[in-house]
């Protein structure tokens, strides 16, 4: 059956360079849909001005309506969602909000994508104003939305447990990868540990730096590379690196392009991902698809993605991280086997699967309008 309804997608919250993984998720999922999705169901994207220049390829793939703001000021963006966007989409058949919450005014049926529940679980990781706003906005949005889209099965389960909602209205649309290698990558001759993450408290850089010190005490060539922008834990991390007896072997690159990150992953001996809290963990999946072994934190969505207990460590276990890193560096056979297992697992997360999940959500959303 051909669907000719106006499906609106709210991307006003996707401000380039400001929202990290949420931006990557939105952009990549939509690109996957443009490539693998059906021709009879094409959405209209509503974006801020800065989005157009940063993601010009999407302008060619979708119909786009631009809001006359850059989107940097959060309060102004929230206001325009309930005024400008509400007016522009009042005749839409359905609307999907990618920003984790519903505006005060929105048309229905409505779906909302929730990346994680960190503002509710760890409000101390946010400013008091942001924590207070999100602790109100997220529950309200989850309860009012017709469908709630989680980025991982673990987040979906948390949503069903946290809120008195119909479990059936929670759907999963996970991230994916486009290209998966067939054989493990060959790292550079110098042992390298890579951690691609901005310096937010939950990313747990401090544990990794301490674990690296333990390994570096007996391995004079090993180095640690930290990519990603500055977050709320930046000052503390800088201070710990300054105090490190191996500070000369810890490199900070700042935010890098996806192409640069891919090259760094391929050159790495191992990717360590000690984050204590994630919605999904796309860098973990990208490393797996590139044929690189990964160590992840126990009890997080990356553990679900990797599905390899031998390379899973309690997030705060410094000694455990040191042992795992050393195993990857010293035992080529262990490293090869871990990388090969990761490649096979990554094949379950192809982008065409994500596009199919998103199509299913949108068709279910539009069906509610028909009803």
């Amino acid at each position: 059956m051909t669907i000719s309804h106006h499906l609106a997608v709210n991307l006003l919250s996707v401000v380039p360079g400001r929202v990290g993984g949420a931006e990557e998720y939105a952009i990549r999922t939509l690109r996957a849909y443009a490539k693998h999705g059906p021709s009879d169901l094409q959405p209209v994207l509503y974006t801020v001005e800065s989005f157009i220049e940063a993601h010009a390829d999407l302008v060619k793939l979708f119909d786009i309506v631009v809001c006359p703001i850059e989107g940097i000021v959060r309060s102004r963006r929230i206001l325009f969602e309930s005024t400008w966007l509400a007016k522009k989409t009042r005749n839409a058949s359905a609307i999907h909000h990618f920003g984790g919450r519903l505006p005060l005014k929105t048309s229905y049926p409505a779906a909302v994508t929730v990346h994680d529940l960190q503002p509710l679980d760890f409000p101390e990781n946010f400013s008091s104003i942001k924590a207070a706003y999100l602790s109100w906005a997220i529950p309200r949005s989850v309860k009012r939305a017709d469908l709630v889209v989680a980025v991982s099965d673990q987040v979906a389960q948390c949503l069903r447990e946290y809120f008195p909602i119909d479990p059936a209205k929670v759907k999963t649309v996970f991230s994916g990868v486009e290209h998966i290698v067939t054989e493990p990558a060959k790292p550079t001759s110098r042992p390298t540990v890579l951690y691609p993450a901005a310096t937010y408290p939950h990313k747990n850089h401090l544990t990794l730096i301490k674990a690296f010190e333990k390994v570096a005490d007996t391995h004079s060539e090993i180095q640690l590379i930290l990519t990603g922008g500055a977050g709320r834990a930046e000052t503390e991390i800088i201070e710990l690196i300054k105090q490190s007896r191996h500070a000369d072997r810890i490199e900070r690159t700042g935010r890098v392009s996806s192409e640069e990150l891919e090259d760094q992953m391929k050159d790495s001996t191992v990717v360590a991902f000690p984050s204590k809290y994630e919605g999904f963990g796309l860098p973990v999946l990208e490393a797996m698809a590139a044929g690189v072994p990964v160590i992840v934190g126990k009890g997080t969505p990356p553990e679900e993605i990797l599905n390899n207990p031998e390379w899973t460590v309690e997030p705060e276990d410094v000694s455990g991280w040191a042992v795992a890193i050393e195993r990857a560096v010293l035992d080529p056979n262990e490293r090869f086997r871990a990388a090969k297992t990761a490649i096979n697992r990554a094949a379950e997360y192809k982008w065409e699967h994500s596009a199919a999940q998103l199509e299913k959500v949108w068709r279910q959303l539009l069906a509610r309008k028909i009803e």
Side-chain angles (χ1 to χ4, degrees):
M1 180 179 68
T2 300
I3 300 292
S4 59
H5 301 291
H6 175 183
L7 174 66
V9 172
N10 172 17
L11 297 177
L12 266 62
S13 64
V14 182
V15 183
R18 297 269 177 167
V19 291
E23 178 184 358
E24 290 295 321
Y25 173 84
I27 297 310
R28 296 188 183 199
T29 304
L30 289 169
R31 284 176 181 158
Y33 187 83
K35 183 174 182 179
H36 302 287
S39 60
D40 70 314
L41 178 51
Q42 293 298 311
V44 178
L45 312 185
Y46 293 78
T47 74
V48 293
E49 291 178 341
S50 55
F51 183 96
I52 300 302
E53 183 176 353
H55 304 294
D57 61 314
L58 287 181
V59 178
K60 301 176 182 178
L61 298 174
F62 295 100
D63 289 333
I64 293 184
V65 180
V66 182
C67 181
I69 59 171
E70 291 186 0
I72 296 175
V73 180
R74 183 182 294 108
S75 58
R76 191 160 186 246
R77 189 172 68 239
I78 292 172
L79 173 64
F80 269 71
E81 283 184 318
S82 292
T83 53
W84 179 88
L85 181 66
K87 182 178 180 181
K88 289 288 185 179
T89 59
R90 66 179 181 272
N91 294 322
S93 300
I95 183 166
H96 184 173
H97 300 276
F98 267 65
R101 52 179 177 67
L102 297 184
L104 282 174
K105 294 182 179 180
T106 186
S107 57
Y108 288 92
V112 61
T113 294
V114 176
H115 290 266
D116 59 55
L117 297 175
Q118 189 179 179
L120 306 181
D121 290 332
F122 298 101
E124 64 273 16
N125 289 345
F126 302 83
S127 68
S128 57
I129 294 176
K130 186 174 183 179
Y133 170 69
L134 291 176
S135 66
W136 168 80
I138 293 175
R140 169 186 172 274
S141 300
V142 169
K143 293 172 185 177
R144 292 180 62 206
D146 294 277
L147 295 176
V148 182
V149 179
V151 299
S152 69
D153 288 337
Q154 186 168 323
V155 172
Q157 186 59 33
C158 287
L159 286 164
R160 295 185 182 106
E161 293 174 354
Y162 273 46
F163 303 104
I165 57 176
D166 178 1
K169 84 172 189 177
V170 181
K171 311 295 179 181
T172 301
V173 178
F174 56 65
S175 293
V177 281
E178 190 69 37
H179 304 292
I180 302 173
V181 300
T182 56
E183 292 295 327
K186 295 180 179 180
T188 58
S189 57
R190 183 175 184 180
T192 301
V193 181
L194 174 68
Y195 185 25
T199 55
Y200 296 114
H202 68 280
K203 295 296 185 180
N204 199 26
H205 287 76
L206 302 182
T207 293
L208 180 59
I209 293 169
K210 293 172 184 177
F212 171 78
E213 279 203 321
K214 285 179 172 288
V215 180
D217 282 342
T218 54
H219 301 283
S220 60
E221 292 298 313
I222 194 169
Q223 64 178 345
L224 173 63
I225 298 179
L226 305 174
T227 70
R232 289 172 62 84
E234 176 75 9
T235 301
E236 191 176 4
I237 290 168
I238 289 175
E239 187 59 33
L240 183 61
I241 293 175
K242 285 181 179 179
Q243 295 175 4
S244 172
R245 53 189 175 273
H246 302 296
D248 60 324
R249 285 191 270 158
I250 301 176
E251 180 183 351
R252 296 287 308 283
T253 67
R255 186 180 175 93
V256 299
S257 68
S258 57
E259 292 78 13
E260 291 173 305
L261 180 57
E262 184 178 357
D263 289 339
Q264 287 177 324
M265 283 182 174
K266 291 177 180 178
D267 289 339
S268 299
T269 307
V270 64
V271 169
F273 207 84
S275 177
K276 296 183 287 186
Y277 199 104
E278 290 292 317
F280 183 77
L282 183 57
V284 170
L285 181 58
E286 291 176 328
M288 292 164 59
V292 181
V294 189
I295 311 167
V296 300
K298 188 175 182 179
T300 63
E303 179 186 20
E304 175 188 318
I305 298 170
L306 186 63
N307 194 32
N308 190 344
E310 294 182 13
W311 295 91
T312 302
V313 182
E314 290 287 350
E316 303 278 11
D317 184 0
V318 173
S319 295
W321 283 95
V323 169
I325 290 170
E326 194 168 45
R327 186 164 79 248
V329 170
L330 292 181
D331 194 331
N333 291 329
E334 281 283 319
R335 182 191 181 278
F336 182 91
R337 185 162 59 250
K340 191 70 175 178
T341 300
I343 292 170
N344 294 335
R345 177 66 174 170
E348 299 180 26
Y349 289 87
K350 291 184 178 180
W351 273 124
E352 50 261 46
H353 301 159
S354 305
Q357 289 177 321
L358 187 58
E359 178 195 353
K360 186 175 180 180
V361 167
W362 285 348
R363 291 198 186 279
Q364 289 179 347
L365 197 63
L366 287 167
R368 288 175 177 261
K369 181 69 173 182
I370 296 172
E371 292 171 0

